[in-house]
Amino acid sequence: MTRDLILTFNTGSSTIKLGFYALEAAAPRPLASGVIDFRDEPFEVRLTREGKTFSGPITADPGDLTAVLNQAFAWLAGHFNLSRLAVIGHRVVHGGDVFTGPARITDQVIAQIDALARLAPLHQPQSLALIRAMRGLYPDVPQTASFDTAFHATNPPLIRRFALPRALYDQGIKRYGFHGLSYRYIAGQLGDLATDAKVVAAHLGSGASLCAIRGGKSIDSSMGFSTLDGIPMATRSGALDPGVILHLMGEMGQSLKQVETMLYRKSGLLGVSGFEADSRELMASTRPEAAEAIDLFCLRIAGEVARLATSMGGIDALVFTAGIGEHQPGIRARVAARLAWLGAELDPDANEAGSRRISTAASRVQLLVIPTDEESIIAQEAVSEEAAT
Ligand SMILES: Nc1ncnc2c1ncn2[C@@H]1O[C@H](COP(=O)(O)OP(=O)(O)O)[C@@H](O)[C@H]1O
Ligand SMILES: CC(=O)OP(=O)(O)O
Ligand SMILES: [Mg+2]
């Protein structure tokens, strides 16, 4: 049996995104994409192939991932010959200092990923459960991990350091950065800006961060030790005065679990608006709290662009990507307006149309929209890692 099918997983807090690729000499060729969205009612697995979307019902309890995957893959077997699976590639958010590139999954690698789970509680446990479940379903198929943190391994030590006692840095308490698969993809899509331009990429999805990229390398990013740092997100706070945490746990007697739940799940756009985490609903709402949540989001994004420009000594282009970056012209316009002092000038028609370039010819900073594709990086890394071992 020829094994020529690649499966990728991009695991999030509420969705598992799947990609199917054909193994080909030049590069993996995309065949189909799928999603299992735990928020869906009715609960189902969806597959989009050649412009058509198919769905299979899932009756298993969403809390039982093994049962969910058993059912989902029994249905997917009607669309793909799964005995042709050559490799399964996973996005794993935190690789710490251990992983500076993709890795073939072994028992030791699973233990190392597990040891970092606390730093990415919305993602890492889900990835581990998925890796284990796929081992059970397809024990003969090799699995690989592609790490969000790996792209930022090029950040200089000064960028990675917190102003904390030196010994903590040596114990791994430092800035790592995330969304690296997305930034690696964007770095490959910059055309004539790829060689030497100073580029800030803004990955604005449910999780959101920004990255300074020059010559194909990450110089600095907004996320740090955990996936909480930087700008506000759908339900995460972004950077926060650590004194607030001391106050909550000291004066207000909150537990670690309570604070963790608040920072990861009840803050950000949801926390500030008081009712909604999704940018579509917030942009459509007339409530002042919704406007304030979006305004704070945009203010903090613009502030981070300026900070990252300082790390690079300038900025030539700002790239918007991911769900919000690609599809919310109103948010792009608000960010651009706050960067007018830097010479950023939006072309409103190009922005509404979602063109690749959305700035005027006179703009001192090019504003670009580039759709991201984390899955294609996972597929490429799965093939190269599998070939190397
Ligand atoms: N077609 C769209 N139009 C407007 N907003 C969108 C669209 N698609 C996604 N978004 C917004 O993007 C955010 C989710 O980003 P996405 O990158 O899809 O999420 P995730 O981080 O889960 O992969 C949400 O705020 C959502 O409102
Ligand atoms: C790192 C992170 O926040 O990822 P996501 O945007 O997929 O939640
Ligand atoms: Mg995402």
Side-chain angles (χ1 to χ4, degrees):
M1 170 66 64
T2 322
R3 290 184 174 266
D4 56 2
L5 191 61
I6 307 163
L7 170 61
T8 63
F9 282 110
N10 180 350
T11 315
S13 48
S14 43
T15 60
I16 295 174
K17 292 180 184 161
L18 305 110
F20 286 94
Y21 292 81
L23 183 60
E24 286 184 359
R29 181 168 54 84
L31 298 172
S33 64
V35 68
I36 301 172
D37 188 332
F38 292 87
R39 295 164 297 193
D40 275 350
E41 283 176 33
F43 191 30
E44 59 184 18
V45 49
R46 278 194 300 282
L47 189 75
T48 303
R49 189 176 189 176
E50 288 160 11
K52 291 200 198 82
T53 299
F54 308 89
S55 61
I58 301 181
T59 50
D61 173 8
D64 184 350
L65 188 65
T66 307
V68 168
L69 290 173
N70 273 330
Q71 243 190 330
F73 278 83
W75 179 81
L76 287 165
H79 289 267
F80 287 102
N81 181 353
L82 297 171
S83 59
R84 295 179 83 112
L85 276 177
V87 60
I88 301 171
H90 297 264
R91 171 186 181 214
V92 176
V93 160
H94 215 311
D97 268 338
V98 185
F99 301 104
T100 52
R104 170 87 178 253
I105 289 170
T106 60
D107 288 340
Q108 191 197 359
V109 166
I110 290 179
Q112 287 166 319
I113 294 172
D114 200 11
L116 295 159
R118 174 107 227 166
L119 305 181
L122 298 186
H123 303 85
Q124 206 93 334
Q126 190 82 329
S127 291
L128 282 166
L130 194 55
I131 289 168
R132 291 191 173 111
M134 293 313 284
R135 263 191 166 185
L137 272 175
Y138 304 104
D140 300 335
V141 181
Q143 301 195 67
T144 59
S146 289
F147 295 93
D148 261 33
T149 41
F151 185 60
H152 306 291
T154 49
N155 287 182
L158 188 67
I159 292 294
R160 309 196 75 178
R161 191 173 282 282
F162 291 122
L164 291 171
R166 295 190 74 78
L168 291 177
Y169 183 95
D170 303 329
Q171 290 165 30
I173 307 205
K174 55 181 158 185
R175 304 180 64 248
Y176 294 94
F178 299 88
H179 293 129
L181 307 178
S182 177
Y183 295 129
R184 193 183 293 283
Y185 178 82
I186 296 294
Q189 300 294 312
L190 291 174
D192 57 3
L193 296 171
T195 326
D196 201 36
K198 295 164 183 158
V199 178
V200 172
H203 176 108
L204 310 176
S206 299
S209 73
L210 291 89
C211 179
I213 301 172
R214 190 171 193 190
K217 292 198 176 116
S218 167
I219 309 289
D220 190 359
S221 78
S222 66
M223 271 186 176
F225 177 64
S226 73
T227 59
L228 277 179
D229 204 2
I231 58 170
M233 297 162 236
T235 63
R236 286 171 256 169
S237 61
L240 183 73
D241 176 351
V244 173
I245 298 167
L246 297 179
H247 182 81
L248 291 171
M249 295 186 73
E251 296 298 305
M252 293 175 67
Q254 290 196 13
S255 68
L256 174 66
K257 193 75 213 159
Q258 280 174 313
V259 175
E260 183 177 277
T261 302
M262 186 198 73
L263 296 176
Y264 277 97
R265 298 181 190 276
K266 297 185 177 171
S267 298
L269 296 175
L270 174 65
V272 177
S273 69
F275 72 99
E276 181 57 59
D278 192 294
S279 68
R280 272 172 286 207
E281 303 293 329
L282 293 171
M283 291 296 281
S285 169
T286 52
R287 288 166 64 168
E289 298 88 348
E292 194 174 24
I294 294 289
D295 267 355
L296 183 58
F297 184 60
C298 296
L299 172 67
R300 296 276 297 278
I301 293 167
E304 197 59 31
V305 171
R307 191 189 72 74
L308 292 173
T310 305
S311 292
M312 277 190 295
I315 175 170
D316 300 307
L318 170 60
V319 177
F320 292 94
T321 194
I324 295 173
E326 293 165 29
H327 302 292
Q328 289 286 11
I331 291 180
R332 293 194 297 255
R334 282 171 175 77
V335 172
R338 289 195 179 274
L339 293 171
W341 65 272
L342 255 180
E345 194 177 86
L346 193 74
D347 174 336
D349 294 336
N351 184 41
E352 285 303 323
S355 309
R356 177 180 164 103
R357 182 169 172 151
I358 57 168
S359 51
T360 63
S363 182
R364 271 207 283 129
V365 179
Q366 279 191 47
L367 304 172
L368 304 170
V369 178
I370 304 180
T372 195
D373 186 357
E374 292 162 292
E375 282 71 19
S376 70
I377 301 289
I378 305 170
Q380 281 166 30
E381 292 192 349
V383 173
S384 60
E385 191 53 27
E386 173 46 19
T389 49

